[in-house]
Amino acid sequence: MFGGFCRGLFGYGLGGSYPFFMFFMMMALVLVLIIGIYFILKRPEFKPNKDDVLEILNKKLANGEISEEEYFRKKK
């Protein structure tokens, strides 16, 4: 019934536009992957600097939470 109408619009490679659609989808996928990798690599990571670590150790030693031996071992 609709054989001639549908075949002209949707059959045989979407009317000749299928390769362009496939290329567009591949480029979109590559772009999404690049953006994803960028955000994964550029995410902020918590890296305490040495002064913060020493301050925490000093507080723990002052509060008696750790011994002097443990303090000097961890300070290295």
Side-chain angles (χ1 to χ4, degrees), residues 11-38:
Y12 305 111
L14 296 175
S17 64
Y18 181 71
F20 298 110
F21 180 72
M22 191 170 80
F23 177 75
F24 172 74
M25 292 305 290
M26 287 174 45
M27 289 298 112
L29 178 64
V30 168
L31 183 65
V32 167
L33 288 174
I34 289 172
I35 290 172
I37 291 171
Y38 173 78

Side-chain angles (χ1 to χ4, degrees), residues 53-63 71 75:
V53 174
L54 285 176
E55 184 178 330
I56 293 169
L57 275 176
N58 289 335
K59 285 182 183 179
K60 285 188 176 190
L61 180 64
N63 292 337
Y71 172 80
K75 191 175 176 180

Side-chain angles (χ1 to χ4, degrees), residues 32-48:
V32 167
L33 288 174
I34 289 172
I35 290 172
I37 291 171
Y38 173 78
F39 281 114
I40 288 172
L41 294 178
K42 293 296 181 180
R43 70 175 183 243
E45 294 180 14
F46 177 73
K47 293 181 182 176

Side-chain angles (χ1 to χ4, degrees), residues 50 54 57-58 69-76:
K50 195 170 183 177
L54 285 176
L57 275 176
N58 289 335
E69 289 178 17
E70 191 174 358
Y71 172 80
F72 288 118
R73 184 173 45 87
K74 290 184 177 185
K75 191 175 176 180
K76 292 181 182 183

